[in-house]
Amino acid sequence: QRRLPKPDLDHHAAQAAQGFADLGIGANDAVALFLRNDFAFFEASFAASLLGAYPVPVNWHYTPDEAGYVLRDCNAKVLIAHADLLPQLEGVIPEGCQLFVVETPPEIIDAYGIDPAVAGVPTGLTNWQTWLAAQTPWQGTPAALRGTMIYTSGTTGRPKGVRKEPQTPQMQALAQAMATTLFDIRSDAPMRTVVTGPMYHTAPNGYAMAAVRYGGYVVLQPRFSTEGLLAEIEQHRISHIHMVPTMFVRLLKLPEEVKSKYDLSSLKFVVHAAAPCPPFVK
């Protein structure tokens, strides 16, 4: 399994921030992420935040037309994408938008049955990891936190980007209190969690970013798997999870011999979002 210690993540984020600054990225600019749950998602998001820019996750299921709309609408100055997703971006990357390509990692290849031949960075394109390693860490003062710019589901017309104002210290304190109340994410009691949903969604994004920011132990599921989740809870001694109700239902449908196979005694706190959940399912 690949691992990225928090000090290394912070170092990578500082390197990316300096690289972004050299490209002219600054306050209120947009850094688009066409990525599945991977380390680069955190590296680029934290780097953008240091500069006062907005990380903009883009639904990687999108067609080229849909992806192109979001890239143009947010005026993306930088785009980071997994290598195998490049066909969905063909012909729609705005002029002047710098593309970085992340090699699709083995666990994502396995989870989605991706041809390894399309998982590498094509010749002539900028490899995110190689570029990152060449950057010197940024030394500036972190900008006021803006958070991630999430696009709505687009139930009426095109999706709309939701840009939050820079947080004052009071707003940051309230946001931390809300994370504690809703998710039990605490800076003084690091959690152990699994990110079960794609981070282009609001709740998985906010949950994962807060968990990492406050020093939690975070496991990234490349794709939701019911028995896989139970195995990860046992293996990593997971204490906290955020899910959506359909995941509860899928877990309940597992055979009894599978449900009883794993030690889930480490689990303390489960929260759901995205949809109503019948009490009998809970």
Side-chain angles (χ1 to χ4, degrees):
Q1 290 183 330
R2 298 185 305 133
R3 295 175 181 268
L4 181 62
K6 180 63 160 51
D8 291 351
L9 169 58
D10 291 340
H11 182 73
H12 293 174
Q15 287 176 295
Q18 184 60 60
F20 287 167
D22 291 343
L23 292 172
I25 303 300
N28 300 321
D29 286 331
V31 174
L33 313 170
F34 204 63
L35 296 165
R36 301 183 185 85
N37 295 357
D38 194 2
F39 298 151
F41 203 112
F42 293 92
E43 294 165 344
S45 293
F46 288 167
S49 294
L50 286 171
L51 301 174
Y54 288 93
V56 183
V58 183
N59 185 332
W60 50 264
H61 292 96
Y62 275 168
T63 64
D65 175 67
E66 292 168 327
Y69 163 75
V70 172
L71 296 175
R72 293 190 303 273
D73 186 71
C74 73
N75 193 25
K77 299 289 183 64
V78 165
L79 169 63
I80 302 105
H82 272 133
D84 69 286
L85 298 176
L86 290 176
Q88 292 163 243
L89 298 168
E90 191 169 350
V92 300
I93 300 174
E95 186 177 350
C97 178
Q98 172 67 52
L99 172 65
F100 294 98
V101 183
V102 178
E103 184 174 345
T104 306
E107 68 274 14
I108 291 178
I109 291 174
D110 293 342
Y112 291 93
I114 297 166
D115 182 355
V118 300
V121 178
T123 302
L125 297 183
T126 304
N127 183 308
W128 169 257
Q129 286 92 345
T130 303
W131 173 84
L132 194 62
Q135 307 307 311
T136 56
W138 184 73
Q139 301 291 334
T141 302
L145 190 64
R146 285 158 170 76
T148 301
M149 181 177 172
I150 299 285
Y151 270 74
T152 64
S153 59
T155 49
T156 54
R158 292 283 202 178
K160 286 85 177 173
V162 181
R163 288 167 63 114
K164 298 178 182 178
E165 293 295 320
Q167 292 183 6
T168 63
Q170 293 81 6
M171 291 167 67
Q172 277 193 277
L174 286 171
Q176 185 168 350
M178 186 172 70
T180 299
T181 301
L182 295 181
F183 298 140
D184 197 41
I185 298 176
R186 305 169 184 270
S187 57
D188 58 346
M191 65 203 292
R192 300 177 72 87
T193 190
V194 176
V195 179
T196 57
M199 288 194 296
Y200 59 73
H201 281 307
T202 306
N205 185 285
Y207 184 85
M209 292 297 164
V212 170
R213 201 177 292 278
Y214 296 142
Y217 179 97
V218 178
V219 178
L220 299 178
Q221 264 202 326
R223 187 176 193 175
F224 179 68
S225 161
T226 47
E227 186 171 358
L229 176 61
L230 300 183
E232 284 162 344
I233 293 171
E234 177 180 86
Q235 177 186 351
H236 298 283
R237 308 306 297 157
I238 297 301
S239 60
H240 292 62
I241 301 181
H242 166 273
M243 292 192 285
V244 296
T246 188
M247 295 174 179
F248 291 170
V249 173
R250 288 176 59 183
L251 284 164
L252 289 170
K253 287 181 177 179
L254 286 171
E256 286 300 325
E257 60 269 23
V258 174
K259 287 190 281 189
S260 61
K261 181 179 174 182
Y262 298 95
D263 177 8
L264 310 179
S265 60
S266 61
L267 201 58
K268 298 176 181 177
F269 191 96
V270 179
V271 62
H272 82 80
C277 185
F280 75 88
V281 172
K282 292 185 185 184

